[in-house]
Amino acid sequence: MRSVSLSDVVCTIQGKNAVNGISLNIKPGEIICFLGPSGCGKTTSLRLIGGIVTPNNGEISIDDEIVSSASFQVPPEDRHIGFLFQDFALFPHLSVMQNVLFGLNIQKHEDADARAGRMLALTGVSHLAERYPDTLSGGEQQRVALARAIAPAPGLVLMDEPFSNLDPPLRADMRRLTVSLLRGEHSDISPATGIIVTHDAVDAMYMADKIAVMSGGQIVQFDKPDQIYENPASPLVVKLLGASNEWAGAVNNGVFSTPIGDFQLDNSVASARLMIRPYHLKPGGGENSFTARLSSLRNHGNTQALDVLLSDGTIWEVVGNDFIENGLQIGDEVKFQINPEDVMLFTD
Ligand SMILES: Nc1ncnc2c1ncn2[C@@H]1O[C@H](COP(=O)(O)OP(=O)(O)OP(=O)(O)O)[C@@H](O)[C@H]1O
């Protein structure tokens, strides 16, 4: 298991800072997910760590040895990293077995055949050993790519959207498998530090010890998933982690008056934004409640969703599972309860 550290790393591509001064310390054995909207610099950060692109400024170290700076670059093949990148697709002219053997043979691994066989078994593709990549489904190819990345026991594995082409049940399987392999939960497979790029919050929440949320080439929050979920640093982080309702407006003399009630803020604040998750709004009266009119009701099977009109015409979503059973109907005026702890307030 290897440590990775980035210090004030900048990477300019075609005159634009794709990565704009990121610093990060990743401990041996940690699984880190880079999460962020499209174009925020996740893939470039991973490519910098892999040595595929060179920083214009700053330093990258692996196990306390500098591997990248503006003037010095250890080539990717000398970093002994496992890659699972779209650009490093399976070799089309090699069978599945030969693909997994590739890295093992470079390392002159003693029991390469046995180890490749074991990796194929663990990733559930032993029966495809003699097949060629173009005869495999997307999901099968991703399993083989995972086996190939981890087979040489690299101690550090970089993955760029490793489950991008998988449907939800297969994605959940692959998440579990990836974490168990990185954690070394299988005998004779050494644990590894994992750095994974994803734009899927569920992937990140499930797999990561820590999530690095990126925006505009910078890391805007780096913390444990539950911390990020409970204390998001900005509206962007709230949105990345799941659906949310919001309302923004002026603050007058420290009072933020919203359709769901008044909130006391600092006197110096001029404007604010309130956010709340759809499933945190529950029908019911009482102290912290507000009234809204139901404008639509959708049944998604295991959940039901309401669109509700606030007093100023703003539409919010409410998610639950018993609205229909409780007789709610479009046009009804309904009271909704809020727990003040679920309200996220951001000042501009
Ligand atoms: N080869 C390139 N040529 C020009 N611009 C590039 C290149 N690679 C990246 N960029 C730009 O750098 C920025 C960061 O790109 P990057 O691929 O790192 O983002 P990302 O967060 O991984 O996005 P996505 O989730 O869409 O893959 C983007 O604005 C992108 O357009």
Side-chain angles (χ1 to χ4, degrees), residues 24-329:
L24 201 59
N25 286 314
I26 302 172
K27 295 187 195 126
E30 277 187 326
I31 300 177
I32 301 299
C33 286
F34 281 111
L35 176 71
S38 184
C40 69
K42 305 180 295 292
T43 294
T44 306
S45 300
L46 208 64
R47 292 163 75 88
L48 282 159
I49 297 168
I52 299 154
V53 287
T54 311
N56 298 76
N57 190 46
E59 283 176 356
I60 301 171
S61 304
I62 298 180
D63 289 342
D64 298 326
E65 273 183 40
I66 295 175
V67 290
S68 289
S69 71
S71 58
F72 173 75
Q73 176 88 341
V74 174
E77 59 275 20
D78 292 341
R79 297 189 182 202
H80 309 296
I81 293 173
F83 287 100
L84 207 167
F85 280 20
Q86 311 298 330
D87 343 16
F88 295 96
L90 298 172
F91 304 116
H93 60 291
L94 298 181
S95 70
V96 163
M97 183 67 161
Q98 288 164 338
N99 261 283
V100 179
L101 277 170
F102 187 81
L104 293 166
N105 286 338
I106 288 179
Q107 282 190 2
K108 303 199 177 4
H109 219 278
E110 272 178 18
D111 56 351
D113 285 341
R115 189 171 174 83
R118 168 114 173 97
M119 289 309 307
L120 292 181
L122 279 174
T123 50
V125 285
S126 300
H127 59 296
L128 305 173
E130 302 311 319
R131 297 254 295 263
Y132 283 79
D134 64 355
T135 70
L136 305 179
S137 72
E140 289 164 346
Q141 288 186 25
Q142 284 187 312
R143 280 173 186 267
V144 178
L146 179 63
R148 186 181 67 173
I150 290 181
L156 171 61
V157 181
L158 307 182
M159 303 183 178
D160 192 359
E161 298 283 3
F163 321 128
S164 52
N165 300 319
L166 306 181
D167 54 25
L170 211 50
R171 206 174 168 104
D173 276 358
M174 281 292 282
R175 259 186 228 130
R176 261 193 300 277
L177 177 63
T178 302
V179 171
S180 72
L181 289 169
L182 290 173
R183 298 269 188 232
E185 286 169 8
H186 306 268
S187 61
D188 71 10
I189 305 297
S190 325
T193 306
I195 308 178
I196 304 170
V197 161
T198 180
H199 62 265
D200 184 330
V202 179
D203 283 354
M205 293 295 288
Y206 180 91
M207 295 191 291
D209 293 310
K210 286 192 188 151
I211 299 174
V213 183
M214 291 195 72
S215 171
Q218 296 185 319
I219 293 175
V220 293
Q221 195 165 9
F222 180 54
D223 213 331
K224 295 179 181 160
D226 56 346
Q227 282 301 315
I228 291 197
Y229 192 77
E230 274 159 33
N231 301 302
S234 67
L236 172 104
V237 181
V238 176
K239 286 181 198 160
L240 278 174
L241 292 188
S244 65
N245 295 302
E246 63 180 276
W247 196 90
V251 176
N252 295 309
N253 301 321
V255 179
F256 183 36
S257 286
T258 79
I260 68 164
D262 289 354
F263 297 84
Q264 193 64 45
L265 296 174
D266 196 275
N267 265 340
S268 61
V269 174
S271 60
R273 183 175 304 269
L274 173 156
M275 300 180 88
I276 188 160
R277 303 274 179 212
Y279 52 84
H280 282 148
L281 298 168
K282 300 194 177 16
E287 199 181 344
N288 295 301
S289 64
F290 66 94
T291 305
R293 183 188 298 278
L294 246 70
S295 67
S296 84
L297 195 166
R298 297 176 296 280
N299 190 353
H300 298 310
N302 57 349
T303 59
Q304 297 166 12
L306 308 174
D307 281 342
V308 301
L309 275 171
L310 306 189
S311 57
D312 71 339
T314 304
I315 297 176
W316 275 9
E317 189 180 46
V318 182
V319 172
N321 52 23
D322 54 5
F323 303 140
I324 295 170
E325 291 75 358
N326 288 334
L328 294 194
Q329 297 204 351

